[in-house]
Amino acid sequence: MKLTVIIPVYNEAGTCSQLIEKVKSVLIQKQIIVVDDCSTDGSGDILTKIDGIELIQQQLNRGKGSAIQSALPHIKGDFVVLQDGDLEYNPADYQKMLNPLENDSADVVYGSRWLEKTSPLSYHTIGNRCITWFANLVTGATLTDMASCYKMMPAEIFRSLDIRSTGFGLEAEITAKVFNRNLRVIEVPVSYKRRTKSEGKKLRITDGLIACWTLLRYSIYYAGK
């Protein structure tokens, strides 16, 4: 088993089935773990009818980080990648992220939405750039997209991160911990099609504040752990 794809899903009835088909179509040997974080829009019923996935159904809505934690004991792949349950990211980018890991030129690969691209300024992009700037400040990194969903690494490293965040602090915690350990982190450009709030976008200003606090917490108080 080469790649384990972990997909946390919360109220993604309109996209989860199509997204999973896109993941399945990628020509890489893979395990697909889907965690339904107690959806209330029928996503759970849709997921139970999809073949070829390992479905975990949470009894309470605990957040993205908690959903990822529940998948940890089920990982069978050599590498792990995180995938949102919408259609913003394209699973066709898995191979370009996997290449540096397979040829041992990186320990962790981030899929960057902004690398080698010019994106129009918006509330969303400005917020992401501010969070990335702060992440670079506290960790010494030179990332262009800290908040990207696409983070891929060997399963052994992923398990060892001992993820504690339950919500959107997940990306910041992973970032702080991989840079605390001086792991070789590189970014590769990935495609991205942003959805609007009316289409189901869930991020809020408070999520940015949580990310900043999480970066500080794990960069300073958990340094070297």
Side-chain angles (χ1 to χ4, degrees), residues 8 62-70 163-170:
R62 299 184 183 276
K64 181 177 180 179
S66 179
I68 297 297
Q69 291 171 45
S70 71
I163 293 170
R164 305 290 184 88
S165 300
T166 57
F168 285 103
L170 171 72

Side-chain angles (χ1 to χ4, degrees), residues 112-124:
S112 171
R113 296 166 289 181
W114 321 125
L115 190 65
E116 301 176 0
K117 294 177 187 174
T118 340
S119 54
L121 288 181
S122 66
Y123 166 80
H124 175 254

Side-chain angles (χ1 to χ4, degrees), residues 62-224:
R62 299 184 183 276
K64 181 177 180 179
S66 179
I68 297 297
Q69 291 171 45
S70 71
L72 285 172
H74 304 275
I75 293 173
K76 298 173 185 173
D78 303 304
F79 302 99
V80 174
V81 67
L82 306 182
Q83 170 74 58
D84 285 344
D86 53 43
L87 300 172
E88 290 189 328
Y89 295 81
N90 189 347
D93 288 319
Y94 291 167
Q95 187 62 62
K96 70 165 70 174
M97 297 177 66
L98 193 57
N99 289 338
L101 297 174
E102 290 186 315
N103 65 30
D104 195 32
S105 58
D107 299 313
V108 179
V109 176
Y110 280 42
S112 171
R113 296 166 289 181
W114 321 125
L115 190 65
E116 301 176 0
K117 294 177 187 174
T118 340
S119 54
L121 288 181
S122 66
Y123 166 80
H124 175 254
T125 55
I126 291 171
N128 272 279
R129 289 179 183 180
C130 288
I131 293 170
T132 298
W133 172 84
F134 188 73
N136 291 338
L137 178 69
V138 300
T139 66
T142 55
L143 296 170
T144 63
D145 192 5
M146 186 284 293
S148 171
C149 155
Y150 271 2
K151 294 175 173 66
M152 186 184 290
M153 66 194 77
E156 182 180 0
I157 291 177
F158 190 71
R159 291 190 189 95
S160 73
L161 294 179
D162 187 26
I163 293 170
R164 305 290 184 88
S165 300
T166 57
F168 285 103
L170 171 72
E171 316 294 354
E173 179 182 350
I174 291 174
T175 299
K177 287 183 173 180
V178 299
F179 282 99
N180 278 344
R181 298 183 187 188
N182 295 315
L183 296 173
R184 297 171 299 162
V185 181
I186 68 168
E187 291 182 300
V188 298
V190 297
S191 56
Y192 178 68
K193 184 179 180 181
R194 179 179 176 265
R195 62 177 175 172
T196 64
K197 187 174 180 180
S198 64
E199 293 171 321
K201 192 74 176 176
K202 299 181 178 71
L203 290 177
R204 303 156 298 175
I205 292 177
T206 52
D207 295 316
L209 297 176
I210 291 169
C212 290
W213 163 244
T214 304
L215 282 162
L216 279 174
R217 179 186 180 194
Y218 287 104
S219 294
I220 297 173
Y221 297 105
Y222 289 77

Side-chain angles (χ1 to χ4, degrees), residues 7-12 16 34-41 43-45 47 55-70 165-168 202:
I7 310 174
V9 171
Y10 177 63
N11 288 351
E12 301 289 1
C16 62
V34 182
V35 184
D36 173 28
D37 194 23
C38 198
S39 297
T40 58
D41 69 341
S43 295
D45 293 333
L47 294 171
L55 177 61
I56 300 170
Q57 292 186 297
Q58 304 269 67
Q59 298 306 306
L60 294 172
N61 175 245
R62 299 184 183 276
K64 181 177 180 179
S66 179
I68 297 297
Q69 291 171 45
S70 71
S165 300
T166 57
F168 285 103
K202 299 181 178 71

